[in-house]
Amino acid sequence: MTSPRSKSPKPQNSFRKDDSKEETTFWDKIGTLGRKKRIKEVQEVQEEGKYAIDSPGNPAMADVPPEEYTLEENEERTMVEPKSYSDPKLQELMSILIDWVNDVLADHRIIVKNLEQDLYDGQVLQKLYEKLTNEKLDVPEVTQSEEGQKQKLYVVLGSVNNILGLTGNRLSQQKWSVESVHSKNLVAILHLLVSLARHFRAPIRLPENVTVNVVIVQKRDGVLKNRTVIEEITSRYDDLGMRCERDAFDTLFDHAPDKLEVVKKSLVTFVNKHLNKINMEVQDLDTQFHDGVYLTLLMGLLEGFFVPLYSFNLSPQNFEQKVHNVNVAFDLMQEIGLAAPKARPEDIVNLDLKSTLRVLYNLFTKYKNIY
């Protein structure tokens, strides 16, 4: 008789029970994943909204519709229109300003990579102001709290406004504030850095006519309304990149070339009156001052001191040596109490006649009665 077929040691209903358990566990997992995904999406939307409000200058804001703003009545928020970030001029301006700040703060080993993220807390702006002015500010070196950062910004920006002359009636002309800088508003930060670069005659070439499209969102009568304005960051500059106030030389160049020649002859006479003492003579202001040699020697003659020959190049062979010579002359001017020349050393070396004439005319004004 045939023996019955062997059976599994586990009862058959145990399979159905396990299958049922596995099915329940599987769908439970699916449901859990779905819920987690929805929760994550909600959290991301909330974070985007918060980030947009906190960072009105950040391009990420463009992805958040105006309806996501939580504003008080009549309160405003601004953001840069996304397409402005792709403007080559804006990118160039930001890159130039970043390089300038890093150059100024090289001794502090501070490296700025992003204007909005690196300047909002006041730390870099404090160091930049102190380096440019040689004035120490009475503020904490490091501040972590939002209140501490804003307090530092209040002191730093107040000092900046004073040095830029933005006080009293002119205070309304400032295009930045503690709130705008701390909220990483790119437009405010750019205005601030451009103003500092202009004031301190930074050796940089700023691109002209840089504009940014700014979206302004305001809540009025409980309704959010927005408008777009064009914000001018830089305007027209001279051919050397720095915006200069028009002076008598601009007028002479533009409208009175005959009188310009008279001024040049007067300056040649003044210069040669002193250079002749060491058997030197200038005939052409347009070209003979570009290497800094005559300018450096002239400073020594005017003040009655000997300029050590090792401090400059008597026969400069390249652009860098010429710039060094002009820098030596400019340093001498400041050491004897003259204001820092508005021209850059590079301007003189590049044969910019206006810059050369401005420097020489300042010397003429001070020393015209010295023989």
Side-chain angles (χ1 to χ4, degrees):
M1 183 177 179
T2 306
S3 61
R5 180 168 58 90
S6 61
K7 297 180 181 180
S8 170
K10 294 183 180 180
Q12 291 184 357
N13 60 0
S14 66
F15 284 102
R16 289 193 294 271
K17 182 178 179 181
D18 287 349
D19 288 343
S20 174
K21 182 177 180 181
E22 287 178 4
E23 284 186 357
T24 302
T25 303
F26 175 78
W27 290 114
D28 283 346
K29 289 181 179 180
I30 292 296
T32 300
L33 290 174
R35 285 194 298 273
K36 287 182 177 180
K37 183 177 180 181
R38 288 194 297 273
I39 292 172
K40 184 178 180 181
E41 288 175 348
V42 171
Q43 290 175 338
E44 288 176 347
V45 171
Q46 290 174 341
E47 287 298 319
E48 284 182 346
K50 182 179 183 299
Y51 187 69
I53 294 298
D54 293 341
S55 308
N58 195 291
M61 279 193 57
D63 296 329
V64 183
E67 292 78 6
E68 293 294 331
Y69 283 105
T70 303
L71 302 180
E72 300 295 333
E73 186 65 23
N74 294 322
E75 187 181 357
E76 284 187 354
R77 287 290 187 273
T78 63
M79 67 177 183
V80 176
E81 204 171 58
K83 65 180 181 181
S84 290
Y85 281 87
S86 60
D87 183 350
K89 283 189 174 182
L90 178 61
Q91 293 179 353
E92 180 186 5
L93 176 63
M94 294 171 65
S95 176
I96 289 173
L97 290 174
I98 288 174
D99 289 343
W100 172 58
V101 172
N102 286 335
D103 286 344
V104 173
L105 299 180
D107 293 342
H108 294 277
R109 298 185 178 180
I110 292 176
I111 299 178
V112 172
K113 296 182 179 180
N114 182 285
L115 294 179
E116 299 113 306
Q117 299 298 327
D118 296 340
L119 271 67
Y120 80 96
D121 62 357
Q123 178 78 15
V124 173
L125 289 175
Q126 172 204 342
K127 296 298 183 183
L128 180 64
Y129 174 87
E130 292 177 344
K131 186 69 174 181
L132 292 173
T133 63
N134 292 319
E135 175 186 338
K136 183 72 175 176
L137 293 177
D138 185 18
V139 293
E141 286 296 320
V142 179
T143 51
Q144 298 293 340
S145 68
E146 179 179 335
E147 181 181 355
Q149 292 170 352
K150 288 185 177 181
Q151 183 59 35
K152 172 181 277 192
L153 279 172
Y154 178 80
V155 175
V156 173
L157 296 183
S159 300
V160 168
N161 291 341
N162 286 333
I163 205 74
L164 296 178
L166 297 176
T167 58
N169 294 333
R170 294 194 62 200
L171 191 59
S172 60
Q173 298 179 20
Q174 71 171 15
K175 297 182 178 181
W176 52 85
S177 65
V178 171
E179 289 296 331
S180 61
V181 173
H182 191 265
S183 61
K184 306 176 185 178
N185 187 308
L186 177 63
V187 173
I189 294 172
L190 287 176
H191 276 306
L192 176 60
L193 292 179
V194 168
S195 295
L196 286 172
R198 290 176 182 172
H199 180 81
F200 289 100
R201 297 295 296 172
I204 54 178
R205 187 185 185 91
L206 297 176
E208 297 180 356
N209 302 318
V210 177
T211 60
V212 176
N213 290 339
V214 178
V215 178
I216 302 176
V217 181
Q218 184 182 38
K219 187 174 185 179
R220 287 184 292 178
D221 300 326
V223 179
L224 292 175
K225 299 182 180 181
N226 65 84
R227 66 186 189 278
T228 301
V229 299
I230 298 176
E231 183 76 15
E232 182 184 72
I233 307 298
T234 67
S235 56
R236 185 180 179 277
Y237 291 82
D238 63 18
D239 55 343
L240 295 166
M242 288 304 302
R243 186 175 189 175
C244 301
E245 295 181 3
R246 289 186 62 82
D247 58 15
F249 285 103
D250 291 299
T251 304
L252 289 175
F253 271 81
D254 295 343
H255 306 294
D258 52 334
K259 294 182 180 180
L260 177 62
E261 290 303 316
V262 174
V263 172
K264 290 171 65 175
K265 288 180 181 179
S266 298
L267 291 176
V268 167
T269 301
F270 163 72
V271 168
N272 284 334
K273 178 174 66 175
H274 298 282
L275 288 180
N276 287 162
K277 298 173 186 177
I278 53 175
N279 298 319
M280 291 186 174
E281 185 172 285
V282 168
Q283 296 180 346
D284 185 8
L285 294 180
D286 297 45
T287 59
Q288 289 187 269
F289 276 90
H290 82 289
D291 61 6
V293 174
Y294 282 146
L295 195 58
T296 301
L297 294 173
L298 181 61
M299 288 308 305
L301 292 167
L302 291 173
E303 280 293 321
F305 57 75
F306 176 74
V307 182
L309 297 180
Y310 64 79
S311 64
F312 68 105
N313 300 285
L314 269 177
S315 301
Q317 301 299 314
N318 53 46
F319 183 84
E320 288 73 21
Q321 291 179 350
K322 294 174 183 178
V323 169
H324 171 77
N325 284 354
V326 179
N327 265 320
V328 170
F330 282 11
D331 288 343
L332 292 174
M333 293 176 193
Q334 294 181 71
E335 286 180 11
I336 62 176
L338 287 173
K342 291 183 178 181
R344 304 177 304 169
E346 292 85 355
D347 302 345
I348 306 296
V349 176
N350 285 327
L351 301 174
D352 180 69
L353 182 57
K354 280 186 189 178
S355 296
T356 303
L357 293 179
R358 287 183 177 115
V359 171
L360 292 177
Y361 186 76
N362 284 341
L363 296 178
F364 172 78
T365 301
K366 181 177 177 63
Y367 299 102
K368 60 185 176 182
N369 296 322
I370 294 180
Y371 297 92

